[in-house]
Amino acid sequence: MSGGLLVAGTTSDAGKSVVTAGICRWLARKGVSVAPFKAQNMSLNSFVTREGAEIGRAQAMQAQAARVEPTALMNPVLLKPGGDRSSQVVLMGKPVGEMSARGYHGGRQAALLDTVVGCLEELRSTYDAVICEGAGSPAEINLRRTDIVNMGIARAARFPVLVVGDIDRGGVFASFFGTTALLSAADQELVAGYLVNKFRGDVSLLEPGLDMLLGLTGRRTYGVLPFQHGLGIDEEDGLRVSLRGAVRESVVAPPVGDDVLRVAVCAVPLMSNFTDVDALAAEPGVVVRFVDRAEELVDADLVVVPGTRGTVKALCWLRERGLADALARRAAEGRPVLGICGGFQVLGEHIEDEVESKAGSVAGLGLLPVRVRFAREKTLARPVGEALGEPVEGYEIHHGVAEVTGGEPFLDGCRVGEVWGTHWHGSLESDAFRRRFLTEVARAAGRRFVPAPDTSFGTLREEQLDLLGDLIEEHADTDALWNLIEQGPPAGLPFIAPGAPPAAPTRTKEAL
């Protein structure tokens, strides 16, 4: 069996995904065969693997950092929220039903431990190292009994745990100490130490605190990663553009043509795969922003209605906020609108949904000649084709089946005037197609915008992943990290009171 490490965090968004990707890229550059793993992910940003499995986009990005092909083994459980209290459960890349949070944590989650341990075992039999990412915080003591993604998987695999803390939020020392002290004695045995993320300033000023933390916990800090702009990766969730740093930097440099191009993305409820606009944000002279008011569409040269896990809910939201009328005016005026997946569906004439919202028959915005019927079986595909005379590839994740009754064909969807619609996510990452599409948008918008002839989204992504690898290599104790991965948690780590009471017994696999 190979070695491994669990990257946990003091909080959500502490930097677990970034650190996991950075460690994967550092190891891959050293010639180590490495794979990422996240037992359970909650995200509306997902990806389709080549075998047709749906996994979190963060794990697909980490696989790219590791220079391996992503598979369902790397994210066996994916939860896709459909509201405040329920989520679609995706198991081994396929949806298996909707479940409330109470129902999932009340028994289903613990029952999945065998599955996730089996996936981790298979990865460990294939790769030299497996770098696991936790979820939220390992000190969520109300959920510890059924945990399969933090200390639950660390205990099963006997993996050392590296706890990441975001110092930019403040209180990082208290967070490190409190996270450790809230764990049971058996869990604390695996917490090897800490990694500070997003530090600004002189590291020497931080060192006395790190020494005191060592004295208090008996655990060392394995590195202090500096705050760095432009380190966007595929986010799990939230209203952020993964390449937001690149957006700001590209605006500083003059566009290739005389004008910039303004893109407004409607921030619909349960927005999914907003990473589709990353490739637009990477273009010099393209300014991308999320909007939720009708007046914010007025000066936009292109409006994107993105994917959503709640098509009917998004449709109602667009109408309530006046955005539906604004989109209709744009269509009548010949101003560009692009709908992707759920955004494509709302632009159609009619939606029949007894699956997602169970709303039955609902009128769409009527901007495209499309009728949508929601099927119980989800479409998961990796299509390849051509549009605007250029090769395109993407991926599909949807329950809605579109019947196109008119317009010009466009990526298995259609185009009417300057309104475009497709189920394909990721199509804008195809460089030649993206340039042709932006040229069409600029023409229709009356902008003297010219796409840069040499922007390569794939190259930009690789540069970002290399930056993450550089952060680990230059600012972490890589010899000590490798020793953790190979040898496991240090012996004799002290117990920090008070410690949580022992969790209910769960299956362990000492031979894993």
Side-chain angles (χ1 to χ4, degrees):
M1 286 292 181
S2 71
L5 177 72
L6 174 72
V7 179
T10 57
T11 62
S12 295
D13 202 31
K16 297 183 292 292
S17 295
V18 167
V19 170
T20 301
I23 293 174
C24 285
R25 177 48 60 102
W26 158 62
L27 290 173
R29 292 196 302 209
K30 295 297 183 183
V32 176
S33 171
V34 58
F37 178 77
K38 186 162 185 173
Q40 172 194 298
N41 196 354
M42 177 172 281
S43 178
L44 287 173
N45 271 346
S46 57
F47 181 76
V48 179
T49 67
R50 294 204 180 277
E51 74 266 33
E54 185 180 9
I55 66 172
R57 273 198 69 101
Q59 280 60 67
M61 174 275 301
Q62 290 161 356
Q64 186 177 349
R67 295 176 175 156
V68 296
E69 189 67 30
T71 72
L73 293 172
M74 298 172 184
N75 180 206
V77 181
L78 174 64
L79 305 178
K80 303 192 72 176
D84 293 336
R85 298 190 178 185
S86 68
S87 295
Q88 182 181 67
V89 180
V90 179
L91 180 61
M92 296 303 296
K94 304 296 181 183
V96 294
E98 297 280 334
M99 187 167 289
S100 69
R102 181 180 294 275
Y104 183 70
H105 291 288
R108 180 63 186 268
Q109 184 181 33
L112 292 172
L113 182 60
D114 281 355
T115 298
V116 301
V117 167
C119 290
L120 179 55
E121 182 178 22
E122 188 168 344
L123 290 174
R124 292 185 69 185
S125 68
T126 306
Y127 296 92
D128 298 331
V130 180
I131 308 302
C132 304
E133 179 187 346
S137 162
E140 292 168 352
I141 55 179
N142 57 314
L143 302 177
R144 176 62 185 93
R145 183 178 62 84
T146 57
D147 169 52
I148 63 171
V149 64
N150 289 306
M151 302 312 299
I153 196 70
R155 285 269 290 276
R158 301 302 301 172
F159 273 1
V161 178
L162 183 69
V163 181
V164 178
D166 180 357
I167 198 171
D168 205 42
R169 295 183 177 197
V172 73
F173 293 117
S175 297
F176 284 145
F177 183 89
T179 296
T180 309
L182 279 176
L183 299 177
S184 69
D187 285 349
Q188 286 192 28
E189 289 177 1
L190 301 178
V191 178
Y194 313 109
L195 188 75
V196 177
N197 191 29
K198 297 183 185 177
F199 180 73
R200 305 171 190 253
D202 185 347
V203 176
S204 66
L205 299 176
L206 190 67
E207 288 171 351
L210 302 179
D211 291 339
M212 286 186 276
L213 184 66
L214 174 61
L216 287 166
T217 67
R219 291 159 173 83
R220 58 165 297 182
T221 299
Y222 284 79
V224 178
L225 307 185
F227 185 94
Q228 188 165 337
H229 290 284
L231 279 184
I233 59 166
D234 290 348
E235 305 283 356
E236 290 188 349
D237 270 312
L239 280 182
R240 278 173 293 191
V241 183
S242 298
L243 294 174
R244 187 171 292 281
V247 173
R248 291 172 179 163
E249 290 159 16
S250 67
V251 173
V252 173
V256 175
D258 295 329
D259 291 341
V260 299
L261 208 64
R262 297 171 177 84
V263 178
V265 184
C266 295
V268 297
L270 299 174
M271 182 168 57
S272 62
N273 289 72
F274 55 83
T275 46
D276 282 332
V277 300
D278 284 358
L280 297 179
E283 284 284 351
V286 176
V287 182
V288 177
R289 68 183 189 274
F290 288 100
V291 304
D292 59 4
R293 296 180 299 180
E295 56 268 29
E296 294 177 290
L297 303 190
V298 173
D299 66 346
D301 302 307
L302 168 67
V303 173
V304 177
V305 187
T308 172
R309 188 56 179 108
T311 298
V312 172
K313 182 178 289 188
L315 183 57
C316 294
W317 182 86
L318 290 168
R319 285 179 168 137
E320 289 168 359
R321 290 179 169 263
L323 289 160
D325 290 338
L327 289 169
R329 286 193 296 271
R330 288 186 66 89
E333 295 165 0
R335 303 177 66 200
V337 175
L338 171 64
I340 302 174
C341 200
F344 165 44
Q345 294 166 8
V346 304
L347 298 180
E349 298 170 342
H350 183 80
I351 297 170
E352 193 69 34
D353 182 13
E354 298 291 351
V355 176
E356 188 176 77
S357 68
K358 298 180 172 59
S361 183
V362 179
L365 298 186
L367 305 185
L368 290 175
V370 175
R371 299 179 69 83
V372 176
R373 176 186 55 81
F374 274 71
R376 296 198 176 278
E377 185 174 345
K378 181 184 286 189
T379 296
L380 298 169
R382 290 279 294 269
V384 176
E386 182 178 295
L388 302 179
E390 302 292 350
V392 193
E393 57 183 273
Y395 57 99
E396 294 184 64
I397 306 169
H398 54 91
H399 283 279
V401 178
E403 178 190 359
V404 179
T405 59
E408 301 175 41
F410 175 68
L411 298 179
D412 292 338
C414 66
R415 171 190 183 182
V416 173
E418 298 304 326
V419 180
W420 316 63
T422 178
H423 271 135
W424 291 25
H425 294 290
S427 63
L428 294 168
E429 295 179 18
S430 298
D431 296 326
F433 164 72
R434 182 181 64 254
R435 286 191 279 270
R436 286 292 300 272
F437 176 71
L438 289 176
T439 299
E440 288 273 314
V441 168
R443 175 195 56 75
R447 295 285 186 187
R448 292 175 296 176
F449 169 84
V450 178
D454 55 355
T455 300
S456 167
F457 184 76
T459 299
L460 289 173
R461 175 56 56 85
E462 280 296 307
E463 289 173 355
Q464 285 188 311
L465 294 174
D466 276 332
L467 282 174
L468 297 181
D470 292 344
L471 275 181
I472 298 299
E473 192 162 353
E474 296 170 11
H475 300 282
D477 187 338
T478 52
D479 288 340
L481 281 179
W482 179 244
N483 188 62
L484 277 183
I485 292 168
E486 274 199 313
Q487 305 298 326
L493 292 169
F495 171 73
I496 309 301
T506 55
R507 173 180 176 268
T508 61
K509 193 161 186 174
E510 301 295 336
L512 184 67

